[in-house]
């Protein structure tokens, strides 16, 4: 072996090889573990099925009414029935609106005309949070964002609701 | 008898220098409360470690009864708290100890800060200490959910919403912690249990080892 042409020494070659093989072995061990840990993040968000909430479109008025329905909630291996609520009405254009009753301040339950002092508004009893009829928060009250809006759909004259989304994404 | 066992082992593996190196050190006068009573401030680090040891031991025993499952978590805690002899004491130690660790940790941090003991060459140990602080807070946060009562559930809900506020990766971070983008449920509880009982303690042990080795290498900072 001529010394001049030898660009990689035996020692270096062994070091590289062992580091490489060791790296592959470590990666082979760690990748399945990490992939398992991040699985919930990478899972397709199950595009929420629309659920019949048992309200005929003919019964929707311009006065917000409370609608309760159940959805099948799948939490990994645990399945349960979860109650959901929406405030449903038609706006001045005749379009159906379905608002989430969850206060965007700290998550309490918002009611239509929940306070006698504030007619024609949604009201949250926890910190006197208020929203106009179109769901936007009244400036100067605790909530900093409008009420979330449910995706809705009308099939065969019945109201179907999907997932509540904040107005930013909706 | 014990001496004989010790000699027999020492004869073969020469353990005397090992424990001497770990345990046989003179306490400098300025950190000895027997000389200057005000030196008690130097005890907070050791007290933090002492309470951490209590947390580890009591936690190990709690897992003999605890089940990280949403159907049974609360019931198992209720059972060990009400039916098991001394269960109330052991869970009490873990429950109150969690707060005591944070208090001692803060006192230790304040001492190091106001004495300027973090200055060169000890900056690295200050950084390790800050990481330890985060690990302890993480242990407190994840442990809070485990009893699976209303307080635990909603505190975690709030904590996860805080995590969600992190710029750019907030949503993913929340999902990674909770195991589901929308639900605080079965997967959240198992995740928090795993983080509380395996991941964070592993990080804690590693960081504590570095923390203590650095103290040994650099010695305690001199008197003010």
């Amino acid at each position: 072996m001529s010394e001049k042409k030898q660009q990689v020494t035996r020692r270096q070659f062994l070091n590289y090889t062992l580091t490489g093989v060791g790296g592959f072995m470590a990666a082979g061990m760690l990748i399945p573990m990490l992939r398992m840990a991040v699985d919930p993040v990478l899972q397709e968000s199950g595009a929420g099925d629309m659920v019949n909430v048992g309200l005929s479109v003919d019964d929707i008025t311009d006065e917000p009414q409370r609608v309760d329905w159940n959805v099948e909630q799948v939490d990994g291996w645990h399945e349960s029935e979860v109650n959901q609520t929406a405030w449903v009405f038609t706006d001045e254009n005749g379009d159906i609106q379905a608002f989430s009753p969850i206060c965007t301040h700290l998550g309490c339950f918002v009611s239509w005309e929940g306070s006698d002092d504030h007619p024609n508004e949604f009201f949250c009893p926890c910190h006197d949070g208020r929203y106009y009829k179109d769901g936007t928060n009244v400036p100067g009250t605790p909530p900093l964002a409008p009420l979330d809006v449910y995706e809705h759909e009308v099939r065969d004259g019945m109201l179907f609701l999907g997932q509540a989304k904040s107005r930013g994404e909706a | 008898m014990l001496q004989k066992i010790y000699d027999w082992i020492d004869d073969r593996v020469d353990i005397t220098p090992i424990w001497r190196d770990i345990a046989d050190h003179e306490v400098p006068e300025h950190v000895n409360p027997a000389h200057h009573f005000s030196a008690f401030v130097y005890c907070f680090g050791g007290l933090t470690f002492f309470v951490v040891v209590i947390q580890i031991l009591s936690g190990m025993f709690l897992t003999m009864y605890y089940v990280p499952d949403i159907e049974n978590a609360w019931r198992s805690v209720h059972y060990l708290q009400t039916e098991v002899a001394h269960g109330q004491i052991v869970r009490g130690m873990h429950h109150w100890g969690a707060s005591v660790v944070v208090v001692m940790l803060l006192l230790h941090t304040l001492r190091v800060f106001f004495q300027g003991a973090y200055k060169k060459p000890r900056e690295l140990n200050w950084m390790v200490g800050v990481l330890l602080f985060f690990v302890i807070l993480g242990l407190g946060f994840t442990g809070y959910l485990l009893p699976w009562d209303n307080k635990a559930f909603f505190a975690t809900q709030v904590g996860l919403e805080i995590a969600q506020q992190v710029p750019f990766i907030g949503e993913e971070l929340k999902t990674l912690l909770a195991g589901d983008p929308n639900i605080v449920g079965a997967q959240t509880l198992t995740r928090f249990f795993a983080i509380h009982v395996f991941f964070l303690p592993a990080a804690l042990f590693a960081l504590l080892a570095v923390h203590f080795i650095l103290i040994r290498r650099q010695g305690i900072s001199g008197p003010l």
Side-chain angles (χ1 to χ4, degrees):
Chain A
M1 257 197 288
S2 85
E3 287 293 316
K4 278 176 191 167
K5 282 183 183 168
Q6 197 172 31
Q7 282 160 333
V8 178
T9 63
R10 281 162 180 258
R11 180 176 295 265
Q12 276 175 324
F13 174 77
L14 270 176
N15 271 341
Y16 294 155
T17 317
L18 286 177
T19 312
V21 171
F24 269 109
M25 285 168 71
M29 232 166 53
L30 290 173
I31 285 172
M33 299 178 194
L34 292 176
R35 182 60 184 81
M36 186 187 178
V38 301
D39 192 53
V41 180
L42 299 176
Q43 222 148 50
E44 291 288 318
S45 60
D49 290 336
M50 300 296 238
V51 178
N52 186 346
V53 299
L55 179 68
S56 163
V57 178
D58 302 334
D59 295 335
I60 301 175
T61 63
D62 59 358
E63 176 81 359
Q65 59 177 307
R66 180 177 166 162
V67 180
D68 293 273
W69 73 101
N70 286 333
V71 290
E72 275 290 321
Q73 180 180 276
V74 182
D75 174 16
W77 54 93
H78 184 80
E79 292 177 22
S80 53
E81 287 254 303
V82 176
N83 184 263
Q84 292 206 288
T85 304
W87 290 102
V88 178
F89 62 100
T90 51
D91 60 18
E92 57 270 27
N93 303 325
D95 294 329
I96 295 171
Q97 297 285 354
F99 292 157
S100 157
I102 308 299
C103 186
T104 54
H105 177 223
L106 288 173
C108 291
F109 190 93
V110 174
S111 293
W112 175 249
E113 298 193 327
S115 162
D116 293 337
D117 298 335
H118 304 291
N120 224 26
E121 282 179 6
F122 291 98
F123 179 78
C124 178
C126 291
H127 306 92
D128 292 356
R130 287 153 58 198
Y131 304 82
Y132 297 118
K133 190 178 178 185
D134 67 0
T136 47
N137 43 311
V138 176
T141 67
L144 294 170
L147 291 171
D148 289 356
V149 182
Y150 279 102
E151 306 167 313
H152 72 273
E153 211 176 270
V154 178
R155 288 183 210 159
D156 305 329
M158 297 299 283
L159 180 66
F160 281 65
L161 294 181
Q163 298 211 304
K165 296 210 163 132
S166 71
R167 309 247 169 155
E169 339 167 16
Chain B
M1 181 64 191
L2 279 178
Q3 186 63 45
K4 273 192 170 168
I5 296 172
Y6 178 86
D7 289 339
W8 188 88
I9 297 172
D10 197 36
D11 224 23
R12 273 142 255 259
V13 279
D14 196 21
I15 55 170
T16 303
I18 298 176
W19 73 255
R20 278 265 158 81
D21 194 47
I22 293 169
D24 202 13
H25 277 257
E26 216 164 293
V27 178
E29 192 186 312
H30 73 283
V31 300
N32 188 345
H35 283 86
H36 313 281
F37 180 67
S38 62
F40 73 85
V41 292
Y42 286 96
C43 292
F44 293 132
L47 285 172
T48 312
F49 179 62
F50 175 65
V51 185
V52 164
V53 170
I54 294 178
Q55 293 304 98
I56 292 162
L57 290 176
S58 57
M60 279 163 56
F61 282 93
L62 285 175
T63 57
M64 287 185 168
Y65 291 92
Y66 180 74
V67 186
D69 161 60
I70 55 174
E71 303 277 349
N72 293 303
W74 187 86
R75 269 185 282 173
S76 69
V77 174
H78 185 71
Y79 177 82
L80 83 87
Q81 179 92 359
T82 53
E83 305 285 327
V84 178
H86 292 179
Q88 200 181 16
I89 296 176
V90 176
R91 193 170 101 84
M93 286 158 72
H94 206 72
H95 175 100
W96 297 106
S99 301
V100 177
V101 170
V102 176
V103 170
M104 290 299 159
L105 189 53
L106 282 174
L107 291 171
H108 174 58
T109 311
L110 289 175
R111 190 225 100 204
V112 172
F113 181 76
F114 283 111
Q115 289 193 339
Y118 55 85
K119 290 177 185 172
K120 194 184 174 190
R122 298 185 177 77
E123 309 99 314
L124 191 61
N125 218 7
W126 171 270
M127 293 180 215
V128 173
V130 172
L131 292 180
L132 274 166
F133 179 59
F134 291 147
V135 168
I136 293 284
L137 289 189
L139 280 163
F141 175 58
T142 50
Y144 207 86
L145 178 67
L146 302 186
W148 201 248
D149 54 9
N150 267 300
K151 194 169 67 162
F153 180 86
F154 286 105
T156 301
Q157 189 103 318
V158 170
L160 289 172
E161 275 167 28
I162 293 171
Q164 202 176 3
Q165 301 303 313
V166 173
F168 307 116
I169 57 160
E171 292 286 337
E172 286 76 15
L173 186 65
K174 184 197 169 200
T175 309
L176 185 66
L177 280 170
D180 189 284
N182 303 309
I183 310 166
V184 176
Q187 302 189 82
T188 317
L189 187 58
T190 48
R191 257 166 201 261
F192 272 47
F193 180 73
I195 294 170
H196 185 77
V197 172
F198 293 107
F199 288 82
L200 287 179
L204 184 76
F205 293 151
L207 289 169
L208 275 180
V210 176
H211 207 61
F212 293 160
I213 289 167
L214 282 176
I215 296 170
R216 264 302 149 80
R217 294 285 293 180
Q218 303 178 318
I220 295 170
S221 58
L224 291 176

